[in-house]
Amino acid sequence: MGSHNLDSTTIPQQVSIEAFPYLRVYKDGTIERLAGTQIAPTGLDPQTGVVSKDVIIAPQTGVSARLYRPQLHIKLLPLVVYFHGGGFFISSTADPLYHNSLNQLAAEAKVIIVSVNYRLAPENPLPAAYDDCWEALSWVASHSSSGGGVQSPATEEPWLKNHVDFNRIFLAGDSAGANIAHHLICRISEQNPSRRLIKICGVASIQPYFWGKEAIGSEVHDLVRKSMVDRWWSVVCPSDKGNDDPLINPFAEGAPSLEGLETCPKILVVVAGKDILRDRGWLYYEKVAKMSSSLGWGGTIEIMETLEEDHVFHILNPNSENAKALIKRLATFLN
C-alpha cells in the first residue's frame, strides 16, 4: 500500500476510512498519512553530542530500531527501550520530533536508547505493534549474559554488548508507546520467574493512551475530542469489544492483572492538564497505587502533571521550559 495526495474534489467519493486529522484510507487501499511521515537522518547530533544509528531487528517483518548513544564518560550505562506514540497508525523512530526528543533524553539522562520501529495500523492491525515490540525486547535481552532464554543474535550489536548495564533496563513510551510499555511489563510478569525475558527496573509512562467505553473526567464534556479518540481506536483495532478492548482499557474484563506490575520496582506516570487522555492517566496511577498498597508491593508509583500543557507537548515544543523540566524529571527517574 502506498501514500499519495489526491485532488480534494475526489475525496468524498474515494475515502473509505477517515481518522481525522492524521490518516485517510481510500477505497483502492491506498493509505495517506497526513502527519508523522518526515525522516530525520542518523549520525552525530551537534547540539547534544549524541550519536544515533538504525539497525534491523527482524528482516522478515521489517522491525527495526534507532539506537542513541550519549558521550561515554563511564563504560556501562542504563538502557531505555522506547516506544514512540502516534495512535498506533502514524510516526516512526525517524520522525524528526522523536529524533530530537530522544537525543535530548539520551544526553540529559546519560542513557543508551533503543527506539523501536514497529509496524503501523491499519495495514497491520493490533496486536502487530505489541508483537513487534516484544520481538525488539527479546533482541535486547539476547545481548545480556543471562540472555533471558533467548538465543543469541546472529549479529551482536556492539553498543548493547559493550556499553549497557543489563541490571538497569527501563521501558518508556509516550501515548500509544506508553500503552505498549504497560502490556510488555505485564507480559514479562506472566512468564516463569526463572525464565523471565529480562529484568525491568522501571517504566516511564508518558501521557499513556488508555481509553474506555464509559466517559470519565473531561471526556464527559469534551465530546469533539472524545469522538476523535473513539474513531482512532476503531481504525487500529477492529474489535467487537470496542473501547473496552483489554488492549486499550487496562481495567476491562480480560485485561492483564495489574498485580503483574509487581515485577517492576518503580513506575512514573506523566500527564498533561489539557490532554483529553489526562484522566485516564490519573485513573491508571490511582488504581495501581491502590493495588500496590493492598498487596504490600515493595515498588513505587509516582505521577507528574504539567497543568497548562496538552498531549506530548514536550515532543511538539521541546525547547519550552515545561518540556525541559519533563526531560529532567525523566532523567532523574532513569538514574
Side-chain angles (χ1 to χ4, degrees):
M1 295 183 181
S3 298
H4 58 80
N5 292 310
L6 301 179
D7 187 291
S8 60
T9 59
T10 66
I11 288 175
Q13 291 76 34
Q14 301 212 15
V15 172
S16 61
I17 298 174
E18 178 96 35
F20 180 82
Y22 299 118
L23 179 90
R24 288 193 190 109
V25 181
Y26 295 91
K27 289 183 178 178
D28 66 359
T30 299
I31 293 176
E32 181 183 23
R33 289 188 164 85
L34 308 173
T37 59
Q38 292 181 296
I39 303 294
T42 57
L44 174 65
D45 177 52
Q47 301 298 319
T48 61
V50 172
V51 180
S52 58
K53 65 178 177 180
D54 291 332
V55 298
I56 298 294
I57 292 174
Q60 65 275 20
T61 56
V63 179
S64 63
R66 180 161 289 197
L67 276 55
Y68 296 83
R69 191 190 71 191
Q71 295 176 335
L72 295 169
H73 300 295
I74 56 175
K75 181 174 173 61
L76 298 180
L77 299 174
L79 174 71
V80 177
V81 184
Y82 191 91
F83 312 110
H84 71 81
F88 295 103
F89 57 66
I90 62 167
S91 200
S92 73
T93 54
D95 187 323
L97 294 172
Y98 279 105
H99 184 67
N100 181 46
S101 180
L102 294 184
N103 273 322
Q104 292 186 15
L105 181 59
E108 182 69 35
K110 297 178 176 57
V111 295
I112 289 176
I113 298 176
V114 172
S115 177
V116 182
N117 205 43
Y118 51 86
R119 288 172 293 172
L120 299 177
E123 306 98 308
N124 304 282
L126 296 181
Y130 302 100
D131 294 340
D132 291 351
C133 292
W134 181 259
E135 186 157 24
L137 193 58
S138 302
W139 175 78
V140 168
S142 71
H143 288 79
S144 70
S145 57
S146 61
V150 182
Q151 185 176 357
S152 296
T155 304
E156 288 185 340
E157 170 48 54
W159 287 10
L160 301 189
K161 198 66 180 175
N162 300 330
H163 301 300
V164 166
D165 179 353
F166 280 91
N167 291 313
R168 292 189 291 167
I169 306 294
F170 293 83
L171 303 183
D174 66 278
S175 197
N179 174 307
I180 291 172
H182 165 77
H183 282 281
L184 261 59
I185 196 70
C186 289
R187 187 166 172 180
I188 290 172
S189 74
E190 291 169 355
Q191 295 182 305
N192 185 309
S194 64
R195 300 288 292 171
R196 281 195 178 130
L197 180 68
I198 197 168
K199 177 187 174 185
I200 301 298
C201 289
V203 175
S205 182
I206 307 165
Q207 293 135 33
Y209 180 22
F210 296 131
W211 206 236
K213 184 176 180 180
E214 185 176 343
I216 64 171
S218 64
E219 301 162 17
V220 175
H221 308 290
D222 195 345
L223 299 180
V224 172
R225 287 202 295 176
K226 183 186 184 306
S227 66
M228 290 170 66
V229 181
D230 288 345
R231 179 60 178 152
W232 299 340
W233 181 247
S234 70
V235 170
V236 302
C237 184
S239 164
D240 58 0
K241 297 180 180 178
N243 290 335
D244 278 340
D245 189 287
L247 292 178
I248 194 66
N249 186 346
F251 316 118
E253 183 180 354
S257 171
L258 293 181
E259 293 183 16
L261 298 177
E262 282 190 276
T263 60
C264 180
K266 60 180 184 176
I267 299 171
L268 173 65
V269 180
V270 177
V271 296
K274 296 181 178 179
D275 186 2
I276 187 68
L277 300 180
R278 171 199 179 268
D279 298 295
R280 297 288 169 178
W282 267 103
L283 181 63
Y284 182 73
Y285 163 77
E286 290 164 356
K287 291 253 190 182
V288 174
K290 183 178 180 181
M291 175 275 299
S292 64
S293 62
S294 65
L295 293 176
W297 176 39
T300 60
I301 182 166
E302 303 173 59
I303 191 163
M304 173 187 182
E305 179 167 16
T306 310
L307 290 172
E308 64 271 30
E309 298 286 2
D310 209 333
H311 196 59
V312 296
F313 69 91
H314 65 294
I315 293 172
L316 299 173
N317 187 17
N319 295 318
S320 70
E321 291 306 311
N322 284 333
K324 292 175 182 177
L326 174 50
I327 294 296
K328 286 184 180 295
R329 180 68 186 83
L330 289 171
T332 301
F333 176 78
L334 298 171
N335 286 281

